[in-house]
Amino acid sequence: INMISYLEKIGYGPQEPILFSDSISENISFGRTFSNDNILSMIKKVNLEDEIKLFGKGSDKELEIKGGAVSGGQRHRISLARALISDPELVILDDFTSSLDAKCEKIVLDNLENMLNDKISILITRNRQLLEKATVVIILDDGKIVDMGSARELAVRSPLYRVLAGGKS
């Protein structure tokens, strides 16, 4: 197995995004070659287009160390764009909606649903909207699987699920 080809099939968006002191475009492409149109299309899909226009240099805006000068939500969306731009077969996203406001979250989730439609997706989240769309929800407690099933099934039988998904136990 060619490790580079293998890794190109995986898109990962970590809970704590790591950005570099480089342009937004370079942070998204992450050393790979993509057309400017592909980068701008992904920026639009993660709902960064209007905010980037305010930076003056658009996607050529240079970021400070660790993504300084952009908000937590913008960092997550740049990281999400990086994870998805190569159209990977497997997508792993860790708590990527935690720093998005409700309006931005809705736009991103609507676009994401289309982008993930034909992919294997592992979403680590407490976001009820995402959980309800999942085929299988796996509940971990102290690193161990304690229950699994659809969101509907777990809402009925699992007090822990109801607490983790923002409901009542």
Side-chain angles (χ1 to χ4, degrees):
I1 295 176
N2 178 321
M3 188 57 89
I4 292 173
S5 296
Y6 178 74
L7 291 174
E8 286 177 350
K9 296 180 184 297
I10 301 170
Y12 175 60
Q15 184 175 20
E16 293 295 326
I18 298 170
L19 300 182
F20 307 97
S21 53
D22 208 336
S23 71
I24 292 171
S25 291
E26 287 298 321
N27 269 280
I28 292 171
S29 62
F30 198 51
R32 301 165 295 177
T33 303
F34 297 101
S35 73
N36 195 44
D37 287 343
N38 284 354
I39 292 170
L40 293 176
S41 172
M42 190 55 60
I43 286 170
K44 186 174 184 172
K45 289 176 183 176
V46 298
N47 195 34
L48 267 172
E49 184 178 36
D50 292 338
E51 294 165 69
I52 284 179
K53 287 178 184 173
L54 298 175
F55 292 149
K57 292 185 176 182
S59 62
D60 291 329
K61 162 83 170 151
E62 294 283 326
L63 300 179
E64 297 169 12
I65 295 173
K66 296 183 181 179
V70 295
S71 72
Q74 291 165 336
R75 273 194 294 278
H76 270 108
R77 287 178 283 152
I78 291 168
S79 178
L80 180 60
R82 178 190 300 158
L84 298 172
I85 194 165
S86 65
D87 195 27
E89 294 174 25
L90 169 64
V91 178
I92 304 168
L93 302 175
D94 189 355
D95 205 19
F96 68 99
T97 62
S98 64
S99 59
L100 303 181
D101 63 48
K103 181 180 175 186
C104 182
E105 180 181 288
K106 180 176 181 354
I107 294 168
V108 170
L109 292 180
D110 288 347
N111 291 336
L112 190 63
E113 189 169 355
N114 293 328
M115 290 187 286
L116 297 181
N117 195 27
D118 61 344
K119 302 187 182 331
I120 299 168
S121 306
I122 300 172
L123 306 177
I124 301 146
T125 187
R126 291 181 183 197
N127 181 303
R128 177 169 250 141
Q129 185 179 352
L130 286 172
L131 292 169
E132 289 173 353
K133 292 180 181 190
T135 306
V136 176
V137 176
I138 300 172
I139 301 173
L140 300 175
D141 188 20
D142 199 27
K144 294 181 176 67
I145 295 175
V146 295
D147 208 345
M148 62 190 303
S150 71
R152 182 172 283 163
E153 293 167 344
L154 293 171
V156 170
R157 76 169 180 250
S158 173
L160 180 57
Y161 173 82
R162 291 190 296 275
V163 168
L164 294 174
K168 297 177 181 167
S169 60

